[in-house]
Amino acid sequence: MAPRRKKIYEGKAKILYEGPEPGTLVQYFKDDATAFNAQKKATIEGKGVLNNRLSEYFMTGLTNIGIPNHFIRRLNMREQLIRQVEIVPLEVIVRNFAAGSIAKRLGLEEGTALPRPIVEYSYKNDELGDPLVPEEYIVAFGWANQQDLDDIVSLALRVNDFLSGVFYGVGIKLVDFKIEIGRIWDGDFMRLIVADEISPDSCRLWDVKTGQKLDKDVFRRDLGSLTDAYTEVAKRLGVLPANATNIKPTLIN
Ligand code: TMP
């Protein structure tokens, strides 16, 4: 059978297909989960459906407060139409509380409040395991210039304020998250926008009262059902009906 459409790129959790109009792509959310640079892998039924809806929810919220991003519209349970961008080869990480690699690197107890939000960058390169890089490397190797970095920090901190507030409103602490940034051109004019996805795969989310983890650490650290954790996040945000028992029943439109 001939392929239905052209695959542009396949990553660990998503596939990008050619879109229906120039400058667009279809982003397909897989059920695959990986951790520790794909040393740990699993297929988690329903994860793709949940992340498609959750990323739509956050990107639409960003649009509503004027933060440019790649989301155009949802196409179906697992796919969304997005703007084609040139991805800046960085993982832009924002941290509010110490956890994960910063806790390990600096010997901080997980959950320690940081003196201010910290923005850091990893170079997107699976073979190298996405190494942490300073701004000096980013500018020297031409992955982004100083003006781009100023714009990226500003975007990342606005996204942090928005997401922190949205999550706090449903009893969840945003410990840290990762975003990716894309370039788009209007003629000669280049703009940076939020791209990729925003979902519990790329955030650390702790219940405010109990500290229960509701993000991909559940998978990384074998803490229980990842689908249950993501379903809980979706329910609290009103993306799933509060009485849903799993992701198969109707999702709220
Ligand atoms: P880290 O503590 O492992 O450096 O991760 C910081 C945040 O970035 C955490 O929310 C998970 C997210 N992240 C990704 O989304 N993808 C990655 O490849 C890595 C390493 C982290």
Side-chain angles (χ1 to χ4, degrees):
M1 227 167 57
R4 196 154 56 95
R5 57 192 166 183
K6 196 167 150 205
K7 191 192 278 189
I8 305 283
Y9 175 81
E10 177 157 3
K12 287 176 286 200
K14 299 185 294 296
I15 306 173
L16 297 176
Y17 296 99
E18 201 170 61
E21 299 124 41
T24 67
L25 294 175
V26 173
Q27 178 162 256
Y28 175 98
F29 287 79
K30 301 196 272 189
D31 278 345
D32 298 351
T34 65
F36 313 117
N37 203 19
Q39 287 175 57
K40 179 170 179 167
K41 291 185 200 175
T43 302
I44 292 162
E45 204 192 338
K47 181 174 84 82
V49 174
L50 284 158
N51 282 353
N52 185 31
R53 297 299 291 249
L54 285 163
S55 198
E56 170 188 2
Y57 179 84
F58 298 121
M59 295 290 183
T60 304
L62 293 184
T63 301
N64 289 342
I65 61 163
I67 302 180
N69 65 84
H70 74 167
F71 183 80
I72 302 174
R73 65 173 182 274
R74 174 166 26 104
L75 297 172
N76 56 52
M77 295 273 278
R78 287 185 183 276
E79 293 179 335
Q80 48 183 243
L81 188 66
I82 58 168
R83 292 190 68 161
Q84 183 163 29
V85 301
E86 185 186 300
I87 287 284
V88 175
L90 298 173
E91 309 217 327
V92 180
I93 294 168
V94 183
R95 301 179 187 273
N96 298 306
F97 298 87
S101 65
I102 197 176
K104 208 167 163 189
R105 189 177 312 117
L106 302 183
L108 298 170
E109 191 183 335
E110 289 207 315
T112 309
L114 297 170
R116 57 173 216 188
I118 291 176
V119 181
E120 65 182 44
Y121 311 94
S122 294
Y123 176 46
K124 256 176 81 70
N125 183 315
D126 282 341
E127 275 169 38
L128 300 175
D130 298 341
L132 183 71
V133 288
E135 288 200 359
E136 181 78 7
Y137 289 16
I138 297 169
V139 175
F141 292 110
W143 302 322
N145 64 28
Q146 195 57 55
Q147 177 63 53
D148 296 335
L149 284 175
D150 291 348
D151 292 348
I152 289 170
V153 169
S154 155
L155 275 173
L157 292 176
R158 288 174 76 196
V159 171
N160 184 43
D161 284 346
F162 170 74
L163 291 179
S164 293
V166 168
F167 281 121
Y168 188 70
V170 296
I172 293 172
K173 185 150 96 173
L174 178 62
V175 173
D176 58 32
F177 66 94
K178 182 265 302 190
I179 52 172
E180 295 185 24
I181 301 291
R183 295 177 195 279
I184 52 168
W185 274 271
D186 296 321
D188 283 346
F189 185 69
M190 190 276 294
R191 280 204 309 151
L192 295 167
I193 69 173
V194 178
D196 187 51
E197 73 178 288
I198 299 177
S199 77
D201 267 12
S202 50
C203 300
R204 281 200 175 88
L205 305 171
W206 296 0
D207 181 87
V208 168
K209 288 209 190 96
T210 65
Q212 186 193 353
K213 292 181 178 29
L214 298 169
D215 57 67
K216 206 165 99 178
D217 273 347
V218 171
F219 168 70
R220 292 190 191 96
R221 303 180 187 190
D222 296 317
L223 300 175
S225 159
L226 196 71
T227 316
D228 286 356
Y230 288 19
T231 299
E232 175 65 20
V233 174
K235 280 199 227 173
R236 290 198 198 182
L237 293 168
V239 172
L240 265 183
N243 60 359
T245 49
N246 62 49
I247 47 91
K248 285 194 192 99
T250 28
L251 286 143
I252 291 173
N253 253 315

